[in-house]
Amino acid sequence: MKFYELTYSDDEGLLSVEDYDLNGFDISSYWDGDYGSLEEISKVDFSFHQSGFKKSDLIGNPLGLILISEKAYEKLRLLVKKQSIFSKVSLLNLDSSEKELFYILTPVNTLNCLEMNLTEFLDEETVITPVLDSKKVSPDSLIFKVDGCTNIVVINELVMNSIKENKLDGFDFIELKVDSSES
């Protein structure tokens, strides 16, 4: 089974959230894996100027959240529902004052799955090139975060293929190395 880091597409002209207001939501607890108050994430306000930009199914944002369209939600929810939480949020178009429904996709599993001897680090907290330990990931792991790397969301090839087959845009994938050597 292949695994991929889920990233935002760097295609020119794709819409990205420009501003947000947390409205009291504790984003640091969220990044640390405390999802107990996820209903409060709906209080976060996102806004953007669309002029000249194309809205995609995955919207880049300064919080590093997986912000997906209603179309992406419909295509992915059944596949990853046991390993993720979906929270409704609104995006405000500052040019038209219209709000649109989007979802934050949150993987609930955090796996301690790095092969530490092969993973390349910039410093103690920043991973440059993650290498997964094959003994610590399973083909049943559809979507997860990597312990110690709050900004890395990993999907397996079933999820990646679903995104591609459903022509969801704004997504990019970096294939991760998986160490299969015996220790």
Side-chain angles (χ1 to χ4, degrees):
M1 178 66 60
K2 293 182 179 179
F3 292 92
Y4 301 84
E5 180 179 349
L6 179 64
T7 64
Y8 302 105
S9 174
D10 60 1
D11 290 349
E12 294 266 336
L14 289 183
L15 180 72
S16 183
V17 167
E18 296 173 15
D19 200 10
Y20 62 90
D21 184 347
L22 292 175
N23 290 320
F25 181 70
D26 184 0
I27 195 73
S28 62
S29 290
Y30 172 85
W31 282 328
D32 289 340
D34 178 6
Y35 307 129
S37 62
L38 258 182
E39 65 277 357
E40 291 182 21
I41 205 165
S42 64
K43 296 177 186 176
V44 178
D45 292 325
F46 296 98
S47 58
F48 62 90
H49 288 282
Q50 187 164 357
S51 180
F53 295 101
K54 177 185 177 260
K55 197 178 303 166
S56 60
D57 294 305
L58 177 66
I59 303 284
N61 62 87
L63 296 175
L65 300 170
I66 303 173
L67 191 56
I68 61 171
S69 69
E70 198 164 9
K71 175 185 171 187
Y73 166 74
E74 288 300 325
K75 301 298 182 184
L76 295 174
R77 70 184 173 94
L78 294 178
L79 180 61
V80 299
K81 71 179 180 181
K82 292 183 180 176
Q83 297 181 19
S84 56
I85 299 169
F86 293 91
S87 304
K88 292 180 184 181
V89 294
S90 294
L91 268 68
L92 173 64
N93 183 334
L94 295 170
D95 298 329
S96 66
S97 297
E98 293 178 9
K99 284 190 173 184
E100 186 171 344
L101 177 64
F102 266 70
Y103 292 84
I104 294 173
L105 169 59
T106 303
V108 294
N109 297 325
T110 301
L111 301 180
N112 181 2
C113 60
L114 288 181
E115 170 44 73
M116 299 304 279
N117 294 325
L118 298 174
T119 296
E120 183 181 356
F121 292 88
L122 177 63
D123 55 40
E124 290 180 9
E125 298 178 5
T126 309
V127 173
I128 296 173
T129 309
V131 177
L132 304 180
D133 184 335
S134 64
K135 295 179 282 303
K136 296 179 181 177
V137 292
S138 138
D140 296 336
S141 297
L142 299 173
I143 183 169
F144 57 91
K145 290 184 178 182
V146 176
D147 188 32
C149 309
T150 58
N151 61 333
I152 296 178
V153 173
V154 178
I155 59 173
N156 75 10
E157 62 188 320
L158 294 173
V159 177
M160 184 197 68
N161 289 337
S162 178
I163 290 168
K164 287 182 173 184
E165 288 166 7
N166 287 294
K167 297 181 170 88
L168 301 176
D169 57 1
F171 292 84
D172 234 345
F173 315 96
I174 300 169
E175 186 173 350
L176 298 174
K177 292 180 182 178
V178 180
D179 174 50
S180 59
S181 65
E182 298 296 320
S183 297

